[in-house]
Amino acid sequence: MKRSCTTIEDIHLRLVYSKEEIAVAVQRLADEISNAYAGRTLLLVIVLKGAFFFAADLARRLKLPIEIDFVELASYCGTETTGRVKIEKDIRTDIAGKDVLVIEDIIDTGITLDFLLRHLAQRGPQSLKVCTLIDKRGRRRIDIAADYAGIICDRGFLAGYGLDLNERCRELESIYEVADLSPCGGLNGNSM
Ligand code: IMP
Ligand code: MG
């Protein structure tokens, strides 16, 4: 497939996953999860903001009764993690005794996911698993794995389909590699 480049204002982007490739990965995940949880009700804990397009597409393809809640975490400054995770918005659902599946956009160092899983595990879910659209396995700083991963990738910083570069590019339908990275602090914001 032809890999094109594009520029959004001053951000240079190289296409790495087209919307068609993303749709194939999302459908495969939906099939796997639907089979694994057949006969059960699943609570999706969607990690804002990056996972919201992915979660919306995935949730509508699951052949299961589902509930949905959201958590918002922050730790990134520009394209680098600060290593400190904080909860901007917690879930409101009582997850005790429920089958919980965390929906992430991307796992990089693993620091965010490790923090979130510890936080949720304290509340006594029946099961607690993770589904991520993108798994940057080669960059882990914490030994942690997703139970369901759509795309394994070791490229640089990605943007589009929910993933942002300091709040920009989330609305793009495909996923791009940011070709020229600005230093931390060059753009505003730190949300995930
Ligand atoms: P980690 O804590 O390093 O694993 O990073 C987790 C979070 O950082 C992800 O959920 C994303 O929100 C954000 N993140 C990590 N890598 C990227 C990237 O390449 N593009 C956009 N966001 C990213
Ligand atoms: Mg995220």
Side-chain angles (χ1 to χ4, degrees):
M1 179 177 297
K2 187 170 165 283
R3 299 284 153 188
S4 58
C5 295
T6 187
T7 302
I8 307 291
E9 297 170 38
D10 55 339
I11 305 172
H12 301 291
L13 302 167
R14 264 193 300 270
L15 180 67
V16 285
Y17 301 109
S18 66
K19 62 180 179 179
E20 292 80 12
E21 289 170 310
I22 296 168
V24 168
V26 172
Q27 186 61 57
R28 182 179 56 74
L29 287 171
D31 292 343
E32 269 181 51
I33 294 165
S34 299
N35 288 334
Y37 289 88
R40 289 143 77 187
T41 297
L42 188 58
L43 171 65
L44 306 182
V45 172
I46 299 163
V47 184
L48 294 174
K49 302 175 188 169
F52 85 102
F53 285 117
F54 168 48
D57 288 343
L58 180 74
R60 289 176 292 175
R61 284 167 179 72
L62 292 174
K63 295 191 176 66
L64 297 168
I66 58 166
E67 294 175 38
I68 288 177
D69 205 342
F70 299 93
V71 63
E72 185 171 2
L73 304 166
S75 76
Y76 266 58
C77 179
T79 59
E80 292 300 321
T81 179
T82 62
R84 291 182 305 277
V85 185
K86 66 175 180 175
I87 298 176
E88 301 279 9
K89 181 220 166 290
D90 207 343
I91 53 168
R92 288 200 281 180
T93 312
D94 177 4
I95 64 171
K98 294 195 173 176
D99 290 308
V100 176
L101 184 64
V102 172
I103 309 293
E104 258 289 25
D105 50 357
I106 184 165
I107 306 172
D108 183 17
T109 62
I111 291 172
T112 308
L113 185 60
D114 181 61
F115 174 91
L116 179 61
L117 292 178
R118 287 170 195 268
H119 176 69
L120 295 175
Q122 292 168 1
R123 301 181 180 181
Q126 169 157 291
S127 68
L128 180 57
K129 293 196 173 184
V130 178
C131 171
T132 187
L133 176 63
I134 299 173
D135 191 349
K136 279 187 184 169
R137 283 184 189 167
R139 288 184 33 102
R140 284 294 195 286
R141 283 199 233 157
I142 291 185
D143 186 17
I144 194 165
D147 300 279
Y148 304 96
I151 296 169
I152 314 299
C153 164
D154 281 317
R155 302 292 281 257
F157 199 80
L158 304 177
Y161 194 64
L163 295 162
D164 73 307
L165 178 63
N166 283 329
E167 296 304 327
R168 291 168 60 192
C169 304
R170 289 195 199 276
E171 72 280 13
L172 304 176
E173 288 184 294
S174 301
I175 295 176
Y176 299 82
E177 184 176 6
V178 180
D180 55 344
L181 292 176
S182 302
C184 180
L187 293 163
N188 294 322
N190 70 345
S191 181
M192 316 185 94

